Amino acid sequence: MAKVQVIVGSVYGNAKFTAEAVSALLGKLGHEAFANDEAIATDLTRDEDEILLICCSTTGDGEIPRNILPVFSALDNERIDLSGRRYGVIALGDRGYSRFAHAGLLLEDALYRCGARRVGDVLTIDARADANAPLKAALWSKDWIEAFEVCA
């Protein structure tokens, strides 16, 4: 079974609740998963077998939440070598803003530039259209982990 670290970027708690729902479902499916809402750069490289799953909301006009800035800065500025690491992204936002889900997409780009390999599609969740983000993300994660198992 897979080990998954869900790295959370959240301001008001929606991304955190979403990450916890994903972690719980992955755990019920027999995987080892946990939500990390206080991630630092070394969390990205501590276990090369661990799959990284970003679950990040977008604030204001596309800004990255403060609690995940250390991770983004390390990826963007230090270019940590993540060659071969697999990852996924859940990007939460509000289509009423011009930069919908922008923070999650910035993190996805930074992971890619550091050599990590995305498995599956990025899940975008719109606060205006998706009444239950945790449920939508948990259902997506079931398919996502199955796609990972096919690629492994």
Side-chain angles (χ1 to χ4, degrees):
M1 289 296 152
K3 291 188 281 184
V4 181
Q5 178 183 182
V6 185
I7 298 175
V8 182
S10 188
V11 175
Y12 300 113
N14 197 30
K16 182 178 179 182
F17 296 138
T18 300
E20 289 170 349
V22 167
S23 296
L25 180 67
L26 292 174
K28 287 183 180 185
L29 294 173
H31 303 283
E32 182 182 324
F34 74 99
N36 183 354
D37 64 344
E38 296 180 2
I40 57 175
T42 55
D43 290 334
L44 297 169
T45 57
R46 70 171 181 216
D47 182 350
E48 65 185 33
D49 294 327
E50 190 174 62
I51 303 164
L52 302 173
L53 178 57
I54 302 295
C55 182
C56 186
S57 64
T58 298
T59 63
D61 191 30
E63 288 88 18
I64 295 172
R66 269 189 226 173
N67 72 311
I68 201 168
L69 270 174
V71 169
F72 177 72
S73 294
L75 291 168
D76 196 43
N77 299 328
E78 298 170 29
R79 299 282 171 103
I80 297 170
D81 182 11
L82 295 175
S83 299
R85 286 294 292 275
R86 287 165 284 213
Y87 72 95
V89 176
I90 301 169
L92 294 90
D94 183 327
R95 285 204 192 274
Y97 292 89
S98 61
R99 293 187 175 174
F100 168 67
H102 190 67
L105 300 176
L106 285 172
L107 283 152
E108 194 281 330
D109 179 64
L111 283 162
Y112 173 79
R113 286 184 286 112
C114 289
R117 190 178 82 215
R118 190 181 77 221
V119 174
D121 293 327
V122 172
L123 173 64
T124 56
I125 298 177
D126 180 7
R128 291 180 185 224
D130 299 310
N132 193 334
L135 177 61
K136 182 172 183 172
L139 294 173
W140 171 89
S141 71
K142 182 181 180 297
D143 294 335
W144 175 76
I145 202 69
E146 288 173 4
F148 165 77
E149 291 170 345
V150 169
C151 294

